[in-house]
Structures are given as structure tokens and as C-alpha cells.
């Protein structure tokens, strides 16, 4: 490969990474993204009122219910609702976004608990956001591994950013790869989209230059020969890296890599990063 071709390839690699990075930041800092969250409210059978959402909220065997006061309105699925509204039983890691003025009231289920998590565009965390520090992209951190499916998906319980909360994922397999000649592997969880996977991990940079609790790497569908690319330049922070109002999962025990992955997003400035 000529020097000119190498430079062209590196430029394309860098431009592709920049497009990914900007998309990550745009989702995070969107008007109703995670930086717009103003509260994490845990529901039970007692009606509760919150300063950043309308009505009185409760939950029970039949799911989440809100009782709106006279003159209060939510838009649920584009339809205006008043008085009592029943959201029904929500699936784990599922939820509904209800619009309230310029805010969105997220009604969701996490770790077996129903929550209300309002998102306001003028939240100070969002309006003060200046971007996430990251390592410069380097092709050496894009490695080809092999996906090894389990005979059957393995229910895997992991901790959460919220103490006492647990998440359960059905792990379909693991990804085996090498870094600098060292064999490593990561348990994979289902990703967003058909055939996609994600891995939650920590490494020797965690708590030093990268967020201590976790990072996530999304993987494209596995090739026909079982190979899959792990581009650690795209190792991303989860919302809990920025706010305590998130319920993010922690990596399974086997996903704590004994090497320094000096790639991807670093500790956010909101947590003292630079």
C-alpha cells in the first residue's frame, strides 16, 4: 500500500469516526435526550406528585396510572389525555414518552420497577453541555474477532448504576479477539437492530481516563464466517457517565478487560474529565 493510499484510508477512517462521534453527542444533548432529565422518580401504590411533571402518579399490578388535575394535559401517542390515564403494564426496558408542553415525561420500567423520568430542554446539565472528551481515533483499536454463540441464550444478571437495582439480559454468545497477541473475550448482549450485539466492559483505563463504571461498544451483525469487528474507537459512555438520574447496567464480571483500551470516549467533563 502506498503512503498516499494509507493517508487516504486514515482520513476516511477519521471522518467516519467523527460522524459517529457527532451522532452520539447529538442524541445525548437532544432537547429530550439524557442530559435533559430532571428527576428519577420511583413509583409505588401511593399517589405521588413531582415538581417536574403534572398529576399524581402510582403503579400496581395493572401498571402505571396518572391522575391529572383540571386543566392539565398530556399527549400520549399524539392523543390528548385528561383526568385519569392508565399506561398499562410496561415491558422491562420499555416505556412511553408523554408530551407535556415543551417537556417529555418518560414512563418506563427498569429492573422490575416503574419510574417516571421527566426531560426538560432547559435542564442545566443540557444547557451547560460542551461535549465529551475522547481519544483521537486510531485504526489499531479496530480489531477483528470471532463471535461464538452459546447453545442457548444465557440469562445474565448484572448490577446497575443505581445501588440495589439489577438488570437481566439473555446473552446469546461471546466475542473472542486478540489485542497485542493477548487472547481476550467479552460476553455479548443483544443490540439495537436485527443481528446486532453490544458489549459492556471496563478496562485498565476505567476510573483513570475513562468512566469507571462502564462503557458500551455496539457491534454490527456478524459476518457469514463468524467474524465481527470491535472498533474500540467507538467505545461510548452510557448516560450514567453524565447523570445520576440513569439506571444503566454494569458489565458482567467477565467483561473487565486486564488491558488499557486507550480509545473511545473519556470521562465526561461533568464528572471531572478533561
Amino acid at each position: 500500500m502506498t503512503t498516499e493510499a494509507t493517508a487516504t484510508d486514515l482520513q476516511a477512517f477519521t471522518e467516519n469516526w467523527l460522524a459517529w462521534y457527532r451522532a452520539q453527542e447529538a442524541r445525548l444533548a437532544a432537547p429530550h435526550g439524557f442530559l435533559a432529565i430532571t428527576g428519577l422518580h420511583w413509583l409505588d401504590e401511593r399517589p405521588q406528585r413531582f415538581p417536574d411533571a403534572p398529576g399524581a402518579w402510582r403503579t400496581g399490578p395493572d401498571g402505571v396510572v396518572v391522575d391529572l388535575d383540571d386543566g392539565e394535559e398530556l399527549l400520549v401517542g399524539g392523543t390528548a389525555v385528561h383526568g385519569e390515564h392508565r399506561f398499562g403494564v410496561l415491558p422491562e426496558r420499555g416505556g412511553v414518552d408523554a408530551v407535556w408542553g415543551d417537556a417529555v415525561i418518560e414512563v418506563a420500567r427498569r429492573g422490575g420497577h416503574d419510574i417516571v423520568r421527566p426531560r426538560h430542554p432547559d435542564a442545566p446539565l443540557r444547557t451547560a453541555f460542551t461535549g465529551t472528551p475522547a481519544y483521537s481515533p486510531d485504526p489499531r483499536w479496530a480489531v477483528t474477532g470471532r463471535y461464538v454463540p452459546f447453545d442457548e441464550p444465557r440469562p445474565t444478571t448484572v448490577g446497575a448504576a443505581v445501588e440495589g437495582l439489577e438488570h437481566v439480559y439473555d446473552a446469546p454468545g461471546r466475542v473472542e479477539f486478540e489485542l497485542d497477541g493477548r487472547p481476550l473475550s467479552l460476553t455479548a448482549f443483544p443490540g439495537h437492530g436485527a443481528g446486532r450485539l453490544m458489549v459492556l466492559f471496563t478496562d485498565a483505563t476505567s476510573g483513570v481516563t475513562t468512566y469507571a463504571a462502564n462503557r458500551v461498544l455496539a457491534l454490527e451483525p456478524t459476518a457469514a464466517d463468524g467474524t465481527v469487528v470491535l472498533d474500540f474507537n467507538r467505545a461510548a459512555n452510557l448516560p450514567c457517565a453524565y447523570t445520576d438520574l440513569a439506571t444503566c447496567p454494569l458489565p458482567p464480571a467477565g467483561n473487565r478487560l486486564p488491558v488499557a483500551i486507550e480509545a473511545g470516549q473519556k470521562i465526561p467533563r461533568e464528572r471531572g474529565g478533561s
Side-chain angles (χ1 to χ4, degrees), residues 16 31-32 56 86 102 115 133 140 149 153 181 216 241 252 256 258 260:
N16 287 337
H32 300 120
R86 295 181 174 271
D102 66 351
I115 62 172
R140 77 172 288 256
V216 64
R256 306 184 190 284

Side-chain angles (χ1 to χ4, degrees), residues 7-273:
T8 300
D9 289 345
L10 180 58
Q11 181 180 359
F13 183 87
T14 300
E15 288 175 352
N16 287 337
W17 179 85
L18 278 171
W20 167 83
Y21 174 83
R22 288 167 181 155
Q24 287 285 122
E25 297 285 271
R27 281 193 295 272
L28 179 68
H32 300 120
F34 265 93
L35 296 181
I37 292 175
T38 54
L40 172 57
H41 308 302
W42 302 87
L43 303 183
D44 56 30
E45 70 282 355
R46 302 166 301 163
Q48 299 179 70
R49 293 180 178 273
F50 311 117
D52 48 359
W57 297 80
R58 66 186 193 276
T59 191
D62 296 325
V64 176
V65 180
V66 62
D67 289 300
L68 298 169
D69 294 341
D70 291 343
E72 290 183 331
E73 176 181 281
L74 285 173
L75 290 177
V76 181
T79 300
V81 300
H82 306 89
E84 181 186 87
H85 178 73
R86 295 181 174 271
F87 289 89
V89 176
L90 301 172
E92 181 62 35
R93 290 190 289 277
V96 174
D97 287 340
V99 177
W100 179 47
D102 66 351
V104 162
I105 311 301
E106 178 193 8
V107 187
R109 188 168 181 84
R110 298 291 184 270
H113 301 272
D114 290 323
I115 62 172
V116 168
R117 197 158 47 179
R119 303 178 185 223
H120 290 259
D122 61 354
L125 191 65
R126 176 179 180 268
T127 57
F129 183 61
T130 58
T132 304
Y135 284 99
S136 297
D138 187 335
R140 77 172 288 256
W141 294 109
V143 299
T144 299
R146 177 169 296 279
Y147 174 59
V148 181
F150 299 140
D151 291 338
E152 292 184 356
R154 298 178 182 175
T156 304
T157 300
V158 298
V162 175
E163 187 174 355
L165 193 69
E166 292 182 334
H167 296 277
V168 180
Y169 291 88
D170 286 330
R174 69 177 182 274
V175 178
E176 299 176 344
F177 60 102
E178 288 188 2
L179 272 177
D180 297 329
R182 183 170 187 169
L184 301 165
S185 69
L186 290 164
T187 295
F189 293 153
H192 297 293
R196 285 180 164 79
L197 301 169
M198 72 164 182
V199 291
L200 298 163
F201 73 98
T202 57
D203 64 275
T205 71
S206 301
V208 182
T209 57
T210 64
Y211 185 58
N214 50 23
R215 285 193 291 167
V216 64
L217 182 62
L219 306 179
E220 294 295 320
T222 305
D225 63 357
T227 57
V228 62
V229 174
L230 300 94
D231 186 354
F232 287 103
N233 295 287
R234 303 190 180 199
N237 289 325
L238 289 164
C240 58
Y242 303 86
T243 174
D244 293 335
L245 305 176
T247 61
C248 303
L250 303 180
N255 283 19
R256 306 184 190 284
L257 298 176
V259 296
I261 305 293
E262 296 176 325
Q265 292 189 322
K266 296 182 178 181
I267 298 171
R269 295 183 180 92
E270 290 76 10
R271 299 290 194 186

